[in-house]
């Protein structure tokens, strides 16, 4: 699969699930200022290095608010979670925490303590593994303008439960049908 198709499918996911279902009430405003990049590294160290390069890119391009680093080679969820831990540790070790924050998405995402078939998992499921790099300053501005931001996860879970696992799975699969 080529990068353009991976990006197209990921962008469709952002537009239809993340924005369309309002899982992130801040995303719609930033669609035009979002960067999509495919990371073909399959090694942990190389993928984290690529994430740090993306931080450098964002530092040099303040007009880009957020970046989605798509990692198709991290399909194994446990390996992806290890990558997420390493990525967060790297942000800390490079004094980037506070400037950047990571959100995580994966096709097999599941929240510990939730039933495996819970629709709630779809709030963090994407067509491909993604490390979403966000500027802390943008998050702070968005949250300051939003009433009850602490209720976003509860509202998202309610939306997911209302739609149900089958409909959400179909929506996610439709993203991968984009060609």
């Amino acid at each position: 699969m080529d990068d353009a198709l991976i990006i197209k499918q990921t962008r469709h996911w952002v537009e239809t699930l993340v924005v369309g279902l309002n899982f992130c009430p801040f995303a719609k405003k930033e669609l035009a200022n979002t960067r999509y990049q495919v990371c073909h590294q399959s090694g942990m160290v190389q993928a984290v290095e690529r994430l740090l390069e993306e931080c450098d890119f964002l530092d040099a391009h303040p007009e880009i608010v957020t970046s989605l680093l798509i990692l198709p080679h991290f399909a194994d969820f446990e390996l992806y979670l290890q990558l997420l831990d390493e990525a967060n540790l790297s942000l800390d070790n490079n004094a980037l925490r506070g400037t950047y924050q990571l959100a995580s998405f994966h096709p097999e995402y599941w929240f510990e303590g939730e039933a495996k078939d819970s629709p709630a998992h779809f709030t963090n499921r994407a067509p491909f593994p993604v490390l979403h790099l966000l500027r802390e300053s943008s998050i702070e501005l968005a949250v300051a303008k939003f009433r009850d931001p602490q209720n976003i996860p509860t509202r998202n879970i309610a939306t997911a439960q209302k739609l149900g696992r089958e409909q959400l799975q179909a929506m996610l699969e439709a993203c991968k049908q984009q060609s």
Side-chain angles (χ1 to χ4, degrees):
M1 190 177 298
D2 71 348
D3 289 2
L5 183 57
I6 292 171
I7 290 170
K8 182 177 183 179
Q9 292 175 354
T10 303
R11 187 183 310 263
H12 186 75
W13 163 72
V14 169
E15 292 169 356
T16 59
L17 276 89
V18 176
V19 172
L21 297 178
N22 203 29
F23 283 156
C24 178
F26 318 118
K28 184 176 183 179
K29 179 179 178 245
E30 301 303 341
L31 282 176
N33 303 314
T34 299
R35 177 173 153 97
Y36 297 81
Q37 291 293 297
V38 179
C39 173
H40 289 288
Q41 282 77 8
S42 58
M44 193 80 57
V45 171
Q46 295 83 3
V48 170
E49 287 173 354
R50 180 64 190 88
L51 177 72
L52 294 175
E53 290 170 7
E54 198 61 22
C55 290
D56 290 341
F57 179 89
L58 290 173
D59 286 344
H61 297 89
E63 70 279 7
I64 304 296
V65 175
T66 186
S67 180
L68 280 80
L69 189 60
I70 308 160
L71 302 133
H73 298 289
F74 284 84
D76 178 84
F77 186 56
E78 293 301 321
L79 182 62
Y80 171 81
L81 290 177
Q82 292 173 14
L83 173 64
L84 179 62
D85 288 343
E86 290 296 321
N88 277 312
L89 183 62
S90 187
L91 289 181
D92 290 338
N93 290 342
N94 288 282
L96 293 168
R97 181 92 59 164
T99 302
Y100 297 107
Q101 180 182 118
L102 287 177
S104 59
F105 302 93
H106 192 279
E108 297 175 12
Y109 204 99
W110 64 275
F111 295 105
E112 193 170 336
E114 280 286 322
K116 286 281 191 184
D117 63 347
S118 172
H121 304 303
F122 284 88
T123 63
N124 283 64
R125 286 195 179 166
F128 302 97
V130 173
L131 291 176
H132 183 186
L133 196 55
L134 301 119
R135 293 182 190 274
E136 285 275 351
S137 58
S138 296
I139 295 169
E140 290 168 4
L141 285 172
V143 168
K145 296 177 184 178
F146 193 81
R147 198 175 73 187
D148 298 326
Q150 68 278 5
N151 289 327
I152 293 170
T154 303
R155 184 186 44 109
N156 288 349
I157 291 169
T159 298
Q161 289 174 336
K162 181 179 178 184
L163 290 169
R165 182 177 175 21
E166 292 77 23
Q167 183 172 351
L168 289 165
Q169 183 66 42
M171 292 176 77
L172 190 57
E173 289 299 320
C175 296
K176 294 198 84 162
Q177 301 306 314
Q178 300 298 304
S179 56

